[in-house]
Amino acid sequence: MSTNERIIEARELTKTFSGGVVALDRFTLAVRRGEVVVIIGPSGSGKSTFLRCLNGLEEIDSGSIVIDGIPLDRHRKNRLLIRREVGMVFQSFNLFPHMTARENIDLAQIRVRKKTRTGAAETTMNLLAKVGITEKADRYPHELSGGQQQRVAIARALAMSPKVMLFDEATSALDPEMIGEVLDVMRTLAAEGMTMVIVTHEMGFAREAGDRIVFMESGRIVEEGDAERFFAFPREERTRAFLGQIL
Amino acid sequence: MNKLFHMPAGVRRTALTDSGKFFLLAGLVVWLLTLGTQGMGYHWQWYRVPRYLFTTAGGVWKAGPLLQGLGTTLEISLLSLLCTLIIGLTAALFRLSDSFTARALARSYLELIRNTPLLIQIFFVYFVVSPVLDIGAFASAVLALSLFEGAYAAEILRAGIVSLHRGQWEAAHSLGLGVFDTYRDVILPQAVRRVLPPLAGQGISLIKDSSLVSTIAIYDLTMQGQKIVAETFLAFEIWFTVAAIYLVITFSLSFAVRALENRMNGLPIRGAGGIA
């Protein structure tokens, strides 16, 4: 599914939080167009920080990030450009509570992509159909279940027609019976060839949907590799210990 | 009263006993008032008051000085309310800005205004600023009042803005929305809903504080009352009437805001961002 063209190039990223915690330690990762990269690792290993650096929600201390040819630097304009091309799904959904599902998805299309209301409405209904909740279009987030909220959030990110989708523990806040419906949507996206970087604890999903697994600890890559190989024959001792704990 | 005192479960309260208690209390207050005024030998002349409210000479209804003053008070209050919101919002955004200059500017404004008396600010604007800007007493009054109330409104709005979950900003940013769009579509609609009650309280303060503009020769409600008292010595009747008029307008404002709040509460403002 993936090509050889690199759509994300992160080189030598370092990030230290004010408390002295090292979140990223010369972290380098490239993602090819259409590739699904799953990042796993113990909590505090810098997985989420890496995702948040990719669209500028978090500032890196040093290193370089280039996404689809655009460098993420101090220029506000580039940052906005990158954010338009990179969709993000959060653990806590972060839907806008004062807007209906439909309005949540409309907003960026109208404000950022400068679409007309009718143009946006069509895309919105298509996306709601895609995530399977057309009937909830006019409901407010608090009227939806966690799984439904997260699917609206995915639709909202997709409304920008992003080139890359980032998933930051998208199922961690969900009740177990709702995890499946969100993973299904993510599976569909992966099958359609969307470039995805996913931070998750769902190992079954990682193995089945991921092209490549990256195991992180203390801001560094411990081991990475093809999904099947990674789970079947982990090379590093640390990886085996981690997988042993959670599988 | 049900709300005021916690009653153990099982005690039955009816509207009848509640209103009975209310009227008993009100009666007590009136009785004490009468007792007090009798004690100082005040001669009440309420019948002389209506002509200062309005006259109907020759079948033509005409507003008296008190109602004319009310008109001025309403005019000043409404204009100042509008300016207060604009100034308050600007100052709040400046305080939250990334720019050091903007933050310092907002900070100085807030400290200066909140730590000096409004009366002095009104004098300052009227005697020092207005000749420079070449504005009249009315504009000076509106300027001074909005600068004063704007400082408080700014802090209320800022509190509302920072109370929102960080995820709201992040979601907006991740969609590529700029700062302006984020404030307009995502942050402010939620923040304003949260701070509507204290903001309304500030509006009520503004109406009451507007009585201070009588000191710079503006014939508002208070000034008119003062003038009538000076001419007629009907001190208690006129001041009570003036107070009652203020009460009516502030109460109407509270009522309007309450209605607005109820309407907005149909929409969710809590539980922002899924997991709270």
Side-chain angles (χ1 to χ4, degrees):
Chain A
M1 192 65 78
S2 59
T3 65
N4 281 328
E5 184 197 353
R6 291 172 163 189
I7 191 162
I8 298 175
E9 284 219 73
R11 278 177 200 279
E12 302 274 305
L13 305 186
T14 61
K15 167 83 187 170
T16 308
F17 284 111
S18 49
V21 179
V22 180
L24 292 174
D25 183 9
R26 302 183 51 171
F27 184 88
T28 297
L29 185 74
V31 178
R32 294 188 302 273
R33 198 182 290 276
E35 194 179 19
V36 177
V37 173
V38 179
I39 304 179
I40 61 173
S43 61
S45 58
K47 314 180 292 284
S48 291
T49 306
F50 171 61
L51 279 197
R52 294 162 57 80
C53 286
L54 281 184
N55 67 352
L57 287 183
E58 210 82 67
E59 204 85 49
I60 47 173
D61 297 338
S62 67
S64 72
I65 295 173
V66 179
I67 292 178
D68 202 27
I70 309 165
L72 179 67
D73 47 27
R74 304 253 168 223
H75 295 289
R76 183 174 274 181
K77 206 178 154 212
N78 283 349
R79 176 158 305 204
L80 282 176
L81 277 176
I82 283 180
R83 283 172 174 168
R84 286 175 192 189
E85 307 310 329
V86 177
M88 185 155 191
V89 177
F90 301 87
Q91 178 179 356
S92 52
F93 327 141
N94 296 343
L95 289 177
F96 306 131
H98 58 299
M99 298 180 186
T100 61
R102 187 202 295 274
E103 289 165 345
N104 263 280
I105 304 171
D106 280 344
L107 181 66
Q109 299 182 60
I110 294 169
R111 293 287 187 235
V112 184
R113 293 281 186 226
K114 309 290 177 200
K115 284 196 204 167
T116 61
R117 245 162 225 294
T118 36
E122 201 189 323
T123 311
T124 298
M125 286 320 284
N126 288 340
L127 286 170
L128 280 170
K130 181 172 189 155
V131 298
I133 34 178
T134 322
E135 74 284 2
K136 305 283 185 190
D138 293 310
R139 294 300 176 89
Y140 285 94
H142 79 289
E143 299 173 300
L144 304 176
S145 72
Q148 291 168 338
Q149 286 190 54
Q150 193 62 299
R151 285 187 282 154
V152 172
I154 294 174
R156 178 177 70 174
L158 289 174
M160 286 294 291
S161 318
K163 293 179 176 145
V164 176
M165 283 285 282
L166 310 176
F167 292 84
D168 188 5
E169 302 202 21
T171 56
S172 297
L174 296 175
D175 290 334
E177 74 269 23
M178 292 171 186
I179 291 176
E181 62 194 57
V182 173
L183 292 182
D184 282 343
V185 173
M186 291 166 68
R187 249 179 230 118
T188 312
L189 281 179
E192 286 172 2
M194 173 67 79
T195 309
M196 297 160 81
V197 182
I198 301 169
V199 168
T200 187
H201 296 294
E202 299 291 329
M203 292 305 145
F205 172 77
R207 181 170 196 162
E208 156 210 350
D211 295 321
R212 182 152 54 112
I213 309 293
V214 173
F215 175 52
M216 259 184 101
E217 187 168 47
S218 312
R220 268 177 293 201
I221 295 178
V222 175
E223 179 172 356
E224 64 176 306
D226 170 75
E228 275 309 316
R229 199 281 299 156
F230 181 93
F231 285 105
F233 310 104
R235 289 191 187 112
E236 300 291 325
E237 188 55 45
R238 182 67 191 99
T239 313
R240 281 196 286 273
F242 178 75
L243 291 177
Q245 272 167 359
I246 58 170
L247 286 182
Chain B
M1 292 261 253
N2 264 334
K3 302 271 165 14
L4 192 54
F5 303 112
H6 178 74
M7 299 299 287
V11 179
R12 244 196 103 171
R13 319 288 313 263
T14 64
L16 198 68
T17 55
D18 263 352
S19 3
K21 281 173 188 169
F22 173 77
F23 285 116
L24 199 71
L25 198 71
L28 196 72
V29 171
V30 172
W31 178 66
L32 276 172
L33 263 179
T34 331
L35 211 67
T37 49
Q38 269 172 2
M40 62 183 194
Y42 190 81
H43 179 53
W44 292 95
Q45 302 177 63
W46 282 106
Y47 67 91
R48 289 176 65 191
V49 172
R51 78 184 74 160
Y52 296 108
L53 285 170
F54 57 87
T55 52
T56 48
V60 184
W61 192 90
K62 193 168 171 292
L66 283 181
L67 285 193
Q68 281 169 17
L70 171 64
T72 309
T73 291
L74 284 178
E75 222 175 305
I76 289 183
S77 300
L78 280 177
L79 269 173
S80 306
L81 199 61
L82 191 71
C83 299
T84 294
L85 290 175
I86 296 169
I87 294 173
L89 185 59
T90 312
L93 296 184
F94 271 35
R95 265 211 80 173
L96 295 167
S97 153
D98 287 332
S99 147
F100 175 79
T101 320
R103 283 202 309 271
L105 205 67
R107 199 61 201 262
S108 334
Y109 158 68
L110 293 177
E111 296 302 334
L112 195 70
I113 295 287
R114 291 195 302 163
N115 294 309
T116 53
L118 173 58
L119 187 62
I120 313 235
Q121 291 171 21
I122 292 176
F123 285 154
F124 182 80
V125 170
Y126 182 55
F127 292 112
V128 181
V129 178
S130 79
V132 179
L133 296 179
D134 196 23
I135 53 175
F138 186 86
S140 304
V142 171
L143 183 63
L145 272 176
S146 3
L147 280 176
F148 180 78
E149 308 291 341
Y152 291 89
E155 287 296 83
I156 293 173
L157 286 168
R158 185 174 70 97
I161 292 168
V162 299
S163 77
L164 293 179
H165 192 268
R166 194 176 58 146
Q168 292 293 303
W169 284 98
E170 293 182 346
H173 284 160
S174 75
L175 289 170
L177 291 171
V179 175
F180 178 78
D181 287 332
T182 303
Y183 266 120
R184 178 184 51 183
D185 296 317
V186 177
I187 303 299
L188 287 179
Q190 297 184 64
V192 168
R193 273 177 214 187
R194 284 192 188 184
V195 298
L196 208 52
L199 215 49
Q202 207 55 47
I204 286 165
S205 287
L206 186 148
I207 294 172
K208 292 183 295 173
D209 290 343
S210 77
S211 65
L212 281 175
V213 304
S214 58
T215 53
I216 54 171
I218 289 178
Y219 280 80
D220 73 327
L221 184 53
T222 303
M223 185 63 169
Q224 295 286 11
Q226 220 163 2
K227 208 177 108 196
I228 299 164
V229 170
E231 287 164 2
T232 63
F233 299 105
L234 291 169
F236 282 105
E237 291 88 338
I238 295 296
W239 283 133
F240 279 175
T241 309
V242 166
I245 297 174
Y246 275 113
L247 191 67
V248 168
I249 45 179
T250 51
F251 190 76
S252 321
L253 181 64
S254 316
F255 190 79
V257 173
R258 184 81 47 86
L260 190 68
E261 235 181 289
N262 283 340
R263 239 189 58 182
M264 283 184 162
N265 280 349
L267 303 178
I269 55 169
R270 285 170 211 90
I275 56 164

